[in-house]
Amino acid sequence: MGDILVGTCSWADPMLVRSGWYPPGRRDAEGRLRYYAGRFPVVEVDATYYALPRERNSALWVERTGDGFVFDVKAFSLLTGHPTRSAVLPDGIPADARDPGVLDEVWARFAAGLAPLRRAGRLGSVLFQFPPWFRPGARAEEVLARTARRTEGWQVAVEFRHPAWWHEERADATRALLARYGMAAVAVDMASGLPSSVPPVTCVTSPRLSVVRFHGRSTAWGTGSKEERFPVRVPRRRTRLLASPVAGARRGYRTGARAVHNCCGDAAVRAAEAMRRLLGPA
């Protein structure tokens, strides 16, 4: 029976910092992470999607957290086919994902930035969140194969944003594809009935990890502001409903990392605290 780790996406989101969740004296960069790590066992690093990670930052994260705390890291945008501004790439590297030389350099720098986490045993999983236009097919399967080669030895989690991956007629093939590479399928909690809604599928594709990410169930998904897309408060009844499938997924996994969106003040940390209480000991 595996452990269930409950945490949030980011510990430094500006809205969380302004919410008052961090006490006085713990609102600087070091204090925030130490305070967060004293209350949760895992965090998802969202900043690595927007900019390549730096070794110095990763080393500081290790220093500021205790043994057993893990960082799930989101893959850099260029590595998942998202638009990337050249301004966020160092040394004048062009944001051209079609250039093999550019990809080699970006992959190398991404891996180097995570090296302190890996050496310290603090790197949980690397989340590859593919864009809505990444649909099933031969090209996508080749991207996944290349990603598997690049990430050999890492624990990878994959979140598909195109709903066809998990449609009933395709779901078994998707499970088999991810299982072939030992990649953990990410289950998502989001509003249903929208054209972009991803079916709520939870399945085993990696013997080591299962990931559930809670996007919120607002119908403004994909169109509204952060405040509109992610509910400000999660009712207690809904927290109970969300905790049920998470608890059921515990069997068969070494670790299940659960990340709650952190975009509306302290709503995510409060929901995560409530879920940890409901789930009880791992």
Side-chain angles (χ1 to χ4, degrees):
M1 182 176 290
D3 297 333
I4 294 181
L5 307 184
V6 180
T8 68
C9 302
S10 173
W11 68 91
D13 183 85
M15 293 185 69
L16 174 61
V17 176
R18 292 194 297 267
S19 73
W21 187 71
Y22 290 110
R26 306 299 295 273
R27 295 173 183 171
D28 63 320
E30 179 176 354
R32 290 194 302 263
L33 182 52
R34 289 189 182 278
Y35 184 82
Y36 177 97
R39 283 147 185 80
F40 294 102
V42 63
V43 73
E44 183 182 286
V45 183
D46 194 51
T48 49
Y49 169 83
Y50 299 99
L52 287 167
R54 297 181 178 180
E55 290 184 68
R56 174 58 177 160
N57 287 342
S58 293
L60 286 173
W61 296 343
V62 171
E63 292 175 12
R64 293 169 179 176
T65 54
D67 292 341
F69 187 88
V70 295
F71 295 85
D72 286 347
V73 176
K74 188 178 287 188
F76 182 56
S77 58
L78 194 75
L79 305 182
T80 52
H82 285 87
T84 303
R85 296 181 299 111
S86 295
V88 304
L89 288 167
D91 302 331
I93 300 172
D96 186 358
R98 297 168 298 179
D99 185 327
V102 168
L103 281 177
D104 286 345
E105 183 66 20
V106 170
W107 271 107
R109 291 184 183 235
F110 183 74
L114 300 182
L117 295 177
R118 295 189 67 202
R119 287 194 296 267
R122 301 294 186 81
L123 181 62
S125 65
V126 180
L127 170 65
F128 285 79
Q129 188 182 70
F130 289 102
W133 53 87
F134 189 77
R135 61 174 58 243
R139 179 182 172 278
E141 292 188 19
E142 176 55 30
V143 170
L144 289 171
R146 291 199 301 266
T147 300
R149 291 193 292 269
R150 297 274 195 178
T151 59
E152 186 176 0
W154 303 5
Q155 177 60 67
V156 169
V158 171
E159 179 179 340
F160 295 119
R161 288 291 183 91
H162 195 294
W165 287 98
W166 295 116
H167 284 169
E168 185 176 358
E169 67 277 9
R170 167 74 205 191
D172 286 344
T174 298
R175 291 187 188 96
L177 178 63
L178 295 180
R180 182 188 312 164
Y181 302 121
M183 296 174 171
V186 174
V188 299
D189 178 78
M190 64 178 298
S192 60
L194 303 175
S196 59
S197 294
V198 177
V201 176
T202 303
C203 61
V204 178
T205 58
S206 166
R208 296 192 295 154
L209 182 71
S210 171
V211 180
V212 180
R213 300 182 78 244
F214 301 103
H215 291 312
R217 295 183 180 178
S218 169
T219 56
W221 172 260
T223 59
S225 66
K226 284 184 177 182
E227 292 79 5
E228 293 167 334
R229 281 178 289 163
F230 308 119
V232 174
R233 289 285 176 261
V234 180
R236 182 173 178 80
R237 178 176 177 275
R238 185 179 161 224
T239 301
R240 288 185 178 278
L241 291 173
L242 293 177
S244 297
V246 171
R250 175 182 283 154
R251 293 180 180 176
Y253 300 98
R254 179 182 61 82
T255 301
R258 281 69 171 102
V260 183
H261 263 288
N262 195 8
C263 298
C264 298
D266 63 355
V269 290
R270 299 301 183 192
E273 288 169 341
M275 186 172 289
R276 291 192 73 197
R277 290 193 297 268
L278 288 167
L279 289 169

